[in-house]
Amino acid sequence: MATEHSIVRHMKSLAEALAGPVFIVDPAGTLLYFNAAAEVILGKQFSETGELQASVWSRLFIPTDEEGEPLLPEHLPLMQTLDQQRPASGRFWIRGLDNAPRHIEVSAFPLTSRSGDFLGAVAMFWEAR
């Protein structure tokens, strides 16, 4: 994002301070940032992936359902939040970039300015027990 909105910058700062995994995207779904806790689950550091288009990250981590069937991007909570601009959540499997399978729960929510501008979305996730 050429002129990153201050709310997104603040969300990045908050994500850096949080112990839980956080993934931040712009309105087009471009990955802007994920924190160190997310790096553990995703299997790579953000500095190694950088910004990624939604069409790349939504398939990169190989999301599958409980039966191991591939999930279409539109079934991922973060993509649902981007499409509908409302919170979404779900539980599924991913294969991290370190090739390790992980069962995760995801809660995604939109980032909206006071004036109503849609600025992107955030996903917070953790390994399911």
Side-chain angles (χ1 to χ4, degrees), residues 105-127:
E105 292 187 50
V106 178
S107 290
F109 58 91
L111 288 176
T112 308
S113 72
R114 285 186 192 175
S115 62
D117 295 330
F118 179 61
L119 306 173
V122 173
M124 298 182 82
F125 54 99
W126 52 93
E127 289 197 65

Side-chain angles (χ1 to χ4, degrees), residues 39-61:
E39 292 172 351
V40 173
I41 292 176
L42 300 176
K44 284 259 189 207
Q45 295 180 354
F46 179 73
S47 63
E48 296 174 290
T49 66
E51 293 185 2
L52 297 171
Q53 299 296 318
S55 60
V56 175
W57 68 254
S58 65
R59 296 183 189 272
L60 187 64
F61 304 109

Side-chain angles (χ1 to χ4, degrees), residues 27-44:
T30 301
L31 169 65
L32 298 176
Y33 179 73
F34 57 83
N35 67 0
E39 292 172 351
V40 173
I41 292 176
L42 300 176
K44 284 259 189 207

Side-chain angles (χ1 to χ4, degrees), residues 9 16 20 90-91 97 102 114:
R9 283 194 311 273
E16 289 173 0
R91 179 187 278 216
L97 297 176
R102 293 184 176 89
R114 285 186 192 175

Side-chain angles (χ1 to χ4, degrees), residues 63-74:
T64 60
D65 65 17
E66 300 296 323
E67 287 77 42
E69 295 297 317
L71 286 175
L72 295 173
E74 58 267 20

